Amino acid sequence: MRSLYVVTHTEATHHLDKVVGGWFDSALTDEGHRAARLIAQSLRDRVPVGEPVDLFSSDLRRAQQTAAPIADLLGSEVTLLPGLRECSFGEAEGRPKAWLDERFVRPPATGERMEHFAGVPGYETRRQFAERIYAAVESILERPQSNHIVVTHGGALTFILACWIKMPIDAAGYVAVSSTSGSITELTEDDHFRNRWVTRLNDVTHLSAAHA
């Protein structure tokens, strides 16, 4: 059986400052570092001891800082993949969310959504974002290990899940998955039918654990 654990980075400074994240390179808060240690312990409890683990992370600082205690506890090296970054919000990044809200052009309820321009220069289209995430996930799944851990961002989780279940990109115009900072989503592929399961989605029970 193959398992893919998808971790959304923990609380970062842009959350508290109420500015747009995206590729803005914010760092974890003290609470974010605490939550990252809890994630590491939870993954240690889930991954069988002695089995090799491939650990991948977005190259943005908040994701790398979330991955660091996982690497330490599981004895794995972190491979940085820029393709796992959050959606680029272009000129809105690092600006107050109100700035983006004033300029954001909502996608249509029907019709073409994958190529929709959100109204801000540099803002990735849904297709650009999806294609980048799909390529990163497919490169990870080419690896022979049975256990993969991916540390990424909330927006990326939607397209990681879509890629996992082999949803065609052209069919991904409406899909959306709710996520919480510091969550773990567990995806498994069974050896018999080769079905791809969503075993746990956006699990945050570990964040209330006593480990710190």
Side-chain angles (χ1 to χ4, degrees), residues 36 44 55 68 88 96 98 111 117 134 151 153-154 164-165 169 176 185 209 212:
R44 175 68 287 169
L55 175 57
S88 171
F117 175 58
Y134 271 52
V151 182
H153 307 261
W164 175 254
I165 64 173
I169 286 181
T185 292

Side-chain angles (χ1 to χ4, degrees), residues 10-97:
T10 54
E11 183 185 78
T13 54
H14 75 275
H15 294 144
L16 300 186
D17 295 339
K18 297 185 179 354
V19 298
V20 178
W23 293 10
F24 178 67
D25 206 14
S26 58
L28 294 188
T29 63
D30 288 345
E31 173 58 26
H33 284 290
R34 186 193 76 85
R37 295 192 294 271
L38 295 177
I39 290 170
Q41 184 59 59
S42 180
L43 290 170
R44 175 68 287 169
D45 294 342
R46 299 180 196 214
V47 177
V49 175
E51 289 196 8
V53 178
D54 270 343
L55 175 57
F56 301 88
S57 174
S58 157
D59 64 336
L60 293 176
R61 181 167 42 168
R62 57 193 184 269
Q64 291 193 54
Q65 290 177 330
T66 302
I70 301 172
D72 290 343
L73 194 56
L74 273 65
S76 300
E77 293 187 5
V78 183
T79 299
L80 300 181
L81 291 181
L84 293 172
R85 287 185 177 194
E86 181 61 281
C87 179
S88 171
F89 297 124
E91 293 182 4
E93 290 167 358
R95 295 179 182 267
K97 290 184 177 179

Side-chain angles (χ1 to χ4, degrees), residues 1 3 164 185-189 196-201:
M1 184 173 70
S3 296
W164 175 254
T185 292
E186 185 174 344
L187 309 173
T188 55
E189 182 181 63
R196 291 188 172 184
W197 299 80
V198 180
T199 307
R200 291 186 180 89
L201 179 62

Side-chain angles (χ1 to χ4, degrees), residues 107-108 111-119 123-129 131 169-170 172-173:
E112 173 55 52
R113 292 168 58 91
M114 295 299 289
E115 306 289 353
H116 171 72
F117 175 58
Y123 200 124
E124 282 188 305
T125 65
R126 192 173 180 90
R127 181 176 297 280
Q128 290 170 329
F129 188 21
E131 288 178 345
I169 286 181
D170 286 339

